[in-house]
Amino acid sequence: MDGIGIVGAGIAGLHLGLLLRRHDIPVTIYSDRTAEQMAGGRMLNSVAHHHSTIERERALGVDHWNIEEYGYFGHHHYIAGGPQPMVFPGFFKAPSRAIDYRIYLPTLLEDYVARGGEFEVRPVQAADVVKLSDRHDLVVIASGRGNMSAMFPRRADKSPYDTPQRKLCSGLYEGIARSEPNGVTMSISPGHGELLEIPMYSAAGHVTVLLFETVPGGDLEVLAETSYDSDPAGFEKLVLEKTRQHHPTVFERIDTGEFRLTGPLDLLQGGVLPSVREDYARLPNGRYVIAVGDAHTVVDPVIGQGANCASYSAWELGQTILEDPNFDERFCQKVADRRRNRVHATSDWTNLMIRNPPPPHLLQLLVSMSQNQAVADEFTENFSWPDRQWDILATPERVQKFLAGHGMA
């Protein structure tokens, strides 16, 4: 047998491979794209890494982007509706950062190969996994592309939606001044959707992500359905106009003369169907495969948790491999138990945030954040700790008790 086989070279596959190589475990990562194809293709996502993920990067020896230059320090909130908009900040205990994955993934892949990891470029389908399992001690599915995720049944109890709840339009732009202090803006236009404005480092340098989470049928939906390629100037004009109407604290920092998409490949439009799948599957030959990353859990990007969840899940799987390399069903159950609380909390919290209309206890918490800096800071810090966030948000009674603890009963 030849160590661990990992299908997928995203953050989950690379973090797991890097962790195992630190302990000299043989690893082969399979990908359908070369590093050059990753670097030169369309924007992969618009994710930020929160400081709990950055700590794992430091432990893996891949902390390549100085936090003072590339980091940001909190969230700026704008919530429309009511007699007047709510505008308030929330601060982290340690910074987050956002690096374009066309830079991030090839860099980590280079680290992985330099540390003795094997990398094979070839497409792997679900039908190929049995053969891979005969080659490796354990096969890990870290890619939800194609039919791979279908190997793991969808859990109806954790997957409440049958269609995407937001239509997405995410692009990299020039001409937007950074907020002060440097941070992400979370702007909410009730009934129409959210805008996440994220400072990111890309091939174009320090740029800005505008991720529009548009409610189907709302005024912003047009952004997810309008072609950039057919009329670039018209598309950019539309983005400016919708930002001005719905997200004024972002619009006021835009230099309309300099505003532009950084390139035709720097735009994503579409939708995400949130789902949680079973942790593992038994193959016809009696061996087991483990799901991680998008093969296991897909969340809407509204609170930027997908990559952080994938990194955490991969880390916990790696620790279990190090502690108990007996790749039977008992091992699979230990992996599931070990990561369940945080992974499920991430999914549950995200699904709450995209509920339309939002539940009253979420609105109560947001209003309280605008009135109490400690409440806003704790909510913001918990982007690194989604299980703690869900401890607060899981029920109206929990929100009431949390606010009472801050003297807001």
Side-chain angles (χ1 to χ4, degrees), residues 249-385:
T249 61
V250 174
F251 182 79
E252 67 188 13
R253 288 184 281 107
I254 296 178
D255 181 337
T256 56
E258 297 294 326
F259 180 79
R260 62 182 59 86
L261 194 74
T262 55
L265 295 178
D266 298 345
L267 182 72
L268 289 175
Q269 293 166 300
V272 172
L273 177 60
S275 61
V276 176
R277 296 183 177 272
E278 296 292 351
D279 291 80
Y280 61 92
R282 188 176 189 269
L283 297 173
N285 63 1
R287 301 178 69 82
Y288 290 88
V289 289
I290 295 270
V292 71
D294 286 349
H296 181 226
T297 306
V298 175
V299 295
D300 188 281
V302 68
I303 49 172
Q305 291 295 321
N308 296 277
C309 183
S311 168
Y312 168 80
S313 184
W315 182 271
E316 294 303 318
L317 169 57
Q319 295 298 331
T320 312
I321 291 171
L322 297 175
E323 295 168 9
D324 182 16
N326 295 283
F327 304 123
D328 54 9
E329 188 164 22
R330 166 68 176 161
F331 167 86
C332 296
Q333 290 168 343
K334 289 173 72 172
V335 173
D337 290 344
R338 183 166 187 150
R339 66 188 183 181
R340 177 180 296 111
N341 184 43
R342 188 180 295 187
V343 171
H344 287 185
T346 300
S347 177
D348 292 340
W349 172 30
T350 305
N351 288 339
L352 181 78
M353 297 294 288
I354 57 176
R355 192 181 300 174
N356 192 36
H361 68 287
L362 174 60
L363 294 176
Q364 180 186 15
L365 181 60
L366 293 174
V367 171
S368 299
M369 288 165 57
S370 73
Q371 300 167 345
N372 186 311
Q373 190 62 53
V375 171
D377 289 348
E378 188 163 345
F379 179 87
T380 305
E381 169 63 16
N382 281 345
F383 275 66
S384 268
W385 315 108

Side-chain angles (χ1 to χ4, degrees), residues 141 143-154 277 294-296:
I141 308 301
S143 170
R145 293 161 72 101
N147 60 0
M148 296 304 293
S149 60
M151 297 177 63
F152 308 96
R154 189 168 180 255
R277 296 183 177 272
D294 286 349
H296 181 226

Side-chain angles (χ1 to χ4, degrees), residues 81-159:
Q84 63 181 28
M86 294 184 288
V87 183
F88 58 94
F91 297 104
F92 302 132
K93 292 182 179 178
S96 298
R97 70 178 166 215
I99 306 295
D100 190 324
Y101 264 36
R102 291 170 294 185
I103 295 173
Y104 182 84
L105 295 181
T107 301
L108 266 64
L109 179 56
E110 183 179 346
D111 292 331
Y112 163 79
V113 171
R115 297 171 192 179
E118 295 292 329
F119 181 65
E120 292 191 19
V121 179
R122 63 179 174 103
V124 176
Q125 303 298 327
D128 305 319
V129 173
V130 171
K131 286 186 179 179
L132 285 184
S133 75
D134 290 331
R135 174 180 173 182
H136 295 286
D137 297 303
L138 176 69
V139 173
V140 176
I141 308 301
S143 170
R145 293 161 72 101
N147 60 0
M148 296 304 293
S149 60
M151 297 177 63
F152 308 96
R154 189 168 180 255
R155 289 189 50 166
D157 62 324
K158 289 293 173 184
S159 308

Side-chain angles (χ1 to χ4, degrees), residues 35-42 102 106 265:
E36 291 75 21
Q37 288 170 328
M38 294 179 199
R42 183 169 292 278
R102 291 170 294 185
L265 295 178

